[in-house]
Amino acid sequence: MQTAIMSLTTSLCALLLLLSSSSAEIFNKSWWNSTVFYQVYPKSFYDSNGDGVGDLNGITLKLQYVKNSGINAIWLSPIFSSPMADGGYDISNFTEIAPIFGTLEDFEKLVMRAHKLGLKVVLDFVPNHTSDQHPWFQKALQGDEKYKEYYIWADGKNKDDKTPPNNWLSLFNIPAWTYVPSLKQWYLHQFGTIQPDLNYSNPEVVEEMRNALKFWLDKGVDGFRVDSAPYIFEDKELRDEPRSYAPDSTPDQYTYLEPIYTADLKPTYELFGSWRKYLDGYADERNLDQKMLVMETYSSLEHTLEYYDYDVLPFNFLFITNVTNSSTATDFKNTIDLWINSVPYGKSNNWVLGNHDRPRVASRFPGRLDQMTMLSMILPGMAVTYNGDEIGMVDDRNISWADTQDPLARIAGKDHYAAISRDPERTPFQWSAEENAGFSTANSTWLPVNPNYKTLNLQAEERSYQSHYKIYKTLAYLHRKEPALIQGSYASFTTNNGTVLDVIRSSDARTVLLLINFEDDISQTVDLSDYNLPAIMKLKVASLGSRSSLKEWVDKKNIYLPEKAALIYTSFNIQ
Ligand SMILES: *[C@@H]1O[C@H](CO)[C@@H](O)[C@H](O)[C@H]1NC(C)=O
Ligand SMILES: *[C@@H]1O[C@H](CO)[C@@H](O)[C@H](O)[C@H]1NC(C)=O
Ligand SMILES: *[C@@H]1O[C@H](CO)[C@@H](O)[C@H](O)[C@H]1NC(C)=O
Ligand SMILES: *[C@@H]1O[C@H](CO)[C@@H](O)[C@H](O)[C@H]1NC(C)=O
Ligand SMILES: *[C@@H]1O[C@H](CO)[C@@H](O)[C@H](O)[C@H]1NC(C)=O
Ligand SMILES: *[C@@H]1O[C@H](CO)[C@@H](O)[C@H](O)[C@H]1NC(C)=O
Ligand SMILES: CC(=O)N[C@H]1CO[C@H](CO)[C@@H](O)[C@@H]1O
Ligand SMILES: [Ca+2]
Ligand SMILES: [Ca+2]
């Protein structure tokens, strides 16, 4: 009888719920909160057809691996039609797959397989510019008025072919304007000359891009990561930018000027705010999970945080830009706290460790990769991983000029390319000790495989008793499943005269404690008896090489930390 009443009450509740949500609604709002978000660099992930370049079918074949690693969402660097003059960040058709990666059908299969495995798929969207090979720009070059207004044209200052309209510089350290003799005008490009900037003051451009978003939404994608977000709008009056007086910057370098008229302009934020609303409307009409919209920006903290005002998520790059291998425990604490305290209440958070533009995390923090993985997984918010970092791939600093692909490095020339090249962090994924690291059966690969693949590869790490990969996997599952990490409180402090960083996450009676010893050569004992922690805790994860000297249980009064070690202890109720 009682069961019957209870089930009646349950059905009534369900009915009431149904009634109260009779209009459609977005499901699973901000699902990315406690996600492990994984960047796949398609050219280097897995080559399924033996031409030496990774492809969509290759990614599909490896989705099970991604899933097994504890990851639950991926984003793909651009896969669209492109002359590949900037690794695909020069798009010639926003709704077409580049043949080198496969076909639209391959993409549909990838999304279907990913969704079957419970993985979200996010695309890299590059709205600031097109390739110069895009039909729109080609028509503009022929003087077609409609398509000319898709881009930004201006007369030279002296109405000649020598003086650009103003002093703006490109992020690729060249002038931001290129002259077209047949049109007697200059066009703007904030990146390479082959990447003309689009004119977002033109409603037709705004609509074209929205249609492109819709095209991919209709293919089932779960959101977009927006490339080069701050550079969408520029000053309409084309005013000269003032000097930055940045130390060591020469007049041809981007950093020579303060980009007050070419970056972080108000209309740029408003455009993305309108995209946020558009995506929500799309999901709402169809009862879908909310769509992600995350921005790539290396702007100041103030400008980065401004995206939150428009309900848009900015990537947090502070672990890339504001800490190094010589940062202290206090530097880390200050950087982390500054970000956490700056994110508006109730908004999602995230921690990015690396991407295809920056040296690999294992190269930036020698001997401290596990520490960085732990921070990204233990701190509140989404953890973001660049493919290969989970196995501790390092930069290949020995790529010859002949093998160099990165346009930024090619522009710098034979004598200067090495310091600036982004190829070292883009080498093929090291799957095994087989030829080409098991990445491809081709005679040669688009970038050489790092010669260390014979010892550093996934297969070896899976077989090994302890490895970066095993640590990563344990952390990824913990990050996603553990209530203390999903919704728990956060506290951090330093101990041992500022040489140890301590982070506590807890929720109800569940506690996760992270300890990092910043001393490279000295082991330490930490006394946390004054802190609100269980008296006895259990070892959960230890950085590579430190575990053998540790006990499984520890008294909070007396926690031993080997030199350079990063350790995670938990309360007993956490498995
Ligand atoms: C992009 O490619 C699609 C599919 O091949 C084609 O229908 C469309 O016209 C192309 N867009 C432009 C602007 O050329
Ligand atoms: C951008 O497009 C608008 C509207 O079509 C047009 O008025 C304007 O001249 C274009 N801007 C440039 C710099 O070409
Ligand atoms: C990060 O570093 C940059 C460059 O050193 C500095 O200008 C900026 O203030 C720092 N930001 C934070 C949030 O610490
Ligand atoms: C940090 O790395 C640089 C170059 O990778 C190296 O020269 C320096 O000695 C390292 N510093 C510390 C404190 O490990
Ligand atoms: C996402 O995280 C924010 C900030 O911690 C929180 O306020 C919000 O409720 C979370 N949303 C979900 C769906 O978990
Ligand atoms: C660098 O590459 C050259 C050939 O490309 C090779 O001979 C040399 O041994 C490599 N050096 C290192 C340190 O790997
Ligand atoms: C991190 C990232 O995606 N950087 C890209 C920013 O945009 C330029 C131009 O589109 C690319 O060259 C970078 O790779
Ligand atoms: Ca291929
Ligand atoms: Ca622009």
Side-chain angles (χ1 to χ4, degrees):
M1 186 58 195
Q2 201 159 9
T3 340
I5 291 173
M6 268 181 63
S7 83
L8 182 67
T9 330
T10 319
S11 343
L12 264 176
C13 285
L15 186 66
L16 282 175
L17 257 172
L18 263 175
L19 287 176
S20 65
S21 60
S22 57
S23 73
E25 65 175 307
I26 307 170
F27 285 98
N28 208 354
K29 269 196 152 185
S30 41
W31 52 262
W32 45 85
N33 253 6
S34 50
T35 286
V36 180
F37 196 34
Y38 186 73
Q39 176 184 359
V40 173
Y41 194 71
K43 277 178 111 171
S44 288
F45 202 53
Y46 187 65
D47 174 19
S48 71
N49 63 352
D51 64 359
V53 184
D55 44 56
L56 293 177
N57 288 337
I59 298 170
T60 306
L61 285 167
K62 295 295 184 183
L63 287 174
Q64 186 70 55
Y65 158 73
V66 171
K67 166 82 179 171
N68 292 349
S69 304
I71 293 153
N72 55 338
I74 60 173
W75 69 272
L76 309 178
S77 284
I79 51 171
F80 315 107
S81 283
S82 162
M84 298 287 166
D86 183 16
Y89 284 95
D90 48 325
I91 295 169
S92 55
N93 186 321
F94 289 95
T95 56
E96 200 176 58
I97 301 284
I100 191 131
F101 293 132
T103 63
L104 196 53
E105 212 183 349
D106 296 334
F107 180 72
E108 286 166 345
K109 279 193 217 142
L110 185 158
V111 173
M112 212 160 24
R113 177 81 185 127
H115 285 171
K116 211 168 206 169
L117 290 168
L119 293 167
K120 303 271 191 203
V121 180
V122 169
L123 287 183
D124 199 344
F125 204 68
V126 190
N128 180 63
H129 46 266
T130 70
S131 159
D132 61 349
Q133 301 304 309
H134 196 292
W136 300 338
F137 194 69
Q138 289 298 314
K139 284 180 193 150
L141 285 180
Q142 285 151 21
D144 182 316
E145 280 308 320
K146 172 180 156 81
Y147 288 103
K148 222 183 135 203
E149 286 199 4
Y150 273 38
Y151 298 90
I152 313 229
W153 296 88
D155 292 333
K157 208 169 235 166
N158 303 332
K159 308 252 173 211
D160 61 17
D161 57 358
K162 293 188 184 56
T163 341
N166 61 28
N167 72 346
W168 295 351
L169 292 166
S170 136
L171 279 94
F172 284 4
N173 305 318
I174 48 177
W177 298 94
T178 291
Y179 187 69
V180 175
S182 60
L183 298 175
K184 295 196 164 55
Q185 274 197 319
W186 302 71
Y187 69 87
L188 177 75
H189 50 86
Q190 291 224 52
F191 292 89
T193 54
I194 49 99
Q195 289 155 309
D197 273 49
L198 283 163
N199 172 11
Y200 277 84
S201 303
N202 184 342
E204 288 183 59
V205 169
V206 174
E207 191 178 331
E208 295 267 16
M209 298 315 268
R210 189 167 283 196
N211 289 342
L213 292 176
K214 179 167 189 304
F215 179 88
W216 295 111
L217 291 171
D218 290 345
K219 299 281 169 227
V221 309
D222 300 293
F224 302 94
R225 172 268 187 199
V226 177
D227 178 69
S228 310
Y231 311 107
I232 300 292
F233 280 93
E234 295 82 16
D235 178 40
K236 282 203 178 119
E237 294 170 39
L238 307 182
R239 281 171 283 190
D240 275 351
E241 286 182 331
R243 281 206 45 194
S244 68
Y245 297 99
D248 304 331
S249 68
T250 54
D252 55 342
Q253 275 172 337
Y254 181 69
T255 50
Y256 190 74
L257 301 175
E258 199 66 58
I260 56 170
Y261 295 129
T262 52
D264 311 311
L265 268 59
K266 201 84 185 159
T268 298
Y269 292 99
E270 288 164 357
L271 177 79
F272 293 131
S274 79
W275 285 14
R276 178 68 273 164
K277 291 206 178 79
Y278 176 69
L279 297 183
D280 283 349
Y282 186 98
D284 199 353
E285 279 164 26
R286 296 164 180 79
N287 283 28
L288 299 172
D289 283 1
Q290 196 176 21
K291 303 290 180 183
M292 184 187 222
L293 187 63
V294 61
M295 300 287 137
E296 181 211 28
T297 170
Y298 287 95
S299 306
S300 67
L301 184 64
E302 191 193 350
H303 282 307
T304 301
L305 293 166
E306 212 171 325
Y307 286 100
Y308 281 116
D309 298 347
Y310 297 82
D311 222 8
V312 169
L313 181 66
F315 268 141
N316 165 13
F317 288 143
L318 290 187
F319 280 164
I320 296 179
T321 55
N322 283 65
V323 283
T324 68
N325 61 344
S326 52
S327 300
T328 63
T330 307
D331 296 336
F332 266 89
K333 177 181 158 49
N334 291 344
T335 303
I336 295 166
D337 286 355
L338 178 65
W339 178 264
I340 287 184
N341 296 332
S342 301
V343 171
Y345 180 77
K347 301 285 185 187
S348 300
N349 202 356
N350 70 93
W351 305 93
V352 184
L353 290 187
N355 59 43
H356 62 289
D357 275 342
R358 300 296 170 128
R360 281 193 175 273
V361 60
S363 298
R364 280 183 283 124
F365 298 92
R368 292 187 175 273
L369 169 67
D370 302 324
Q371 159 196 321
M372 296 308 292
T373 309
M374 287 179 194
L375 283 168
S376 75
M377 298 281 188
I378 297 303
L379 293 172
M382 175 169 81
V384 188
T385 307
Y386 175 51
N387 61 191
D389 283 350
E390 73 275 29
I391 61 168
M393 281 177 63
V394 293
D395 295 344
D396 180 357
R397 283 275 151 215
N398 191 31
I399 297 174
S400 68
W401 170 245
D403 282 338
T404 292
Q405 303 283 333
D406 179 13
L408 192 61
R410 305 281 330 171
I411 289 171
K414 196 170 179 338
D415 296 330
H416 303 287
Y417 80 96
I420 203 177
S421 179
R422 297 169 295 179
D423 289 336
E425 61 263 24
R426 296 176 178 181
T427 59
F429 194 99
Q430 293 163 214
W431 296 101
S432 70
E434 286 163 43
E435 195 69 13
N436 293 329
F439 160 74
S440 170
T441 55
N443 290 330
S444 72
T445 54
W446 80 280
L447 265 182
V449 173
N450 190 322
N452 70 8
Y453 76 91
K454 294 212 167 96
T455 49
L456 199 172
N457 62 68
L458 173 68
Q459 197 177 54
E461 295 197 19
E462 279 177 324
R463 287 177 182 164
S464 171
Y465 174 58
Q466 289 175 27
S467 65
H468 293 306
Y469 178 64
K470 287 195 168 164
I471 291 169
Y472 180 90
K473 202 168 154 177
T474 305
L475 287 164
Y477 280 96
L478 193 68
H479 176 84
R480 287 175 43 209
K481 308 281 183 216
E482 174 47 45
L485 300 183
I486 295 171
Q487 75 217 6
S489 61
Y490 155 83
S492 76
F493 46 93
T494 61
T495 52
N496 302 58
N497 293 322
T499 60
V500 172
L501 175 67
D502 316 71
V503 176
I504 301 176
R505 302 290 316 278
S506 57
S507 161
D508 299 322
R510 310 177 73 90
T511 301
V512 176
L513 167 71
L514 165 63
L515 298 147
I516 301 168
N517 185 358
F518 280 80
E519 293 283 10
D520 281 346
D521 314 302
I522 307 171
S523 64
Q524 315 220 49
T525 304
V526 185
D527 175 359
L528 297 181
S529 43
D530 289 345
Y531 294 89
N532 187 15
L533 287 166
I536 306 285
M537 281 171 292
K538 195 176 64 169
L539 182 62
K540 176 74 180 171
V541 196
S543 54
L544 206 55
S546 60
R547 186 149 201 148
S548 56
S549 57
L550 301 168
K551 298 203 197 83
E552 286 302 302
W553 315 106
V554 74
D555 183 330
K556 73 169 171 177
K557 281 209 273 293
N558 186 9
I559 308 175
Y560 173 70
L561 260 179
E563 58 273 15
K564 240 183 174 179
L567 310 178
I568 292 172
Y569 287 95
T570 66
S571 48
F572 285 84
N573 50 358
I574 294 178
Q575 285 317 300

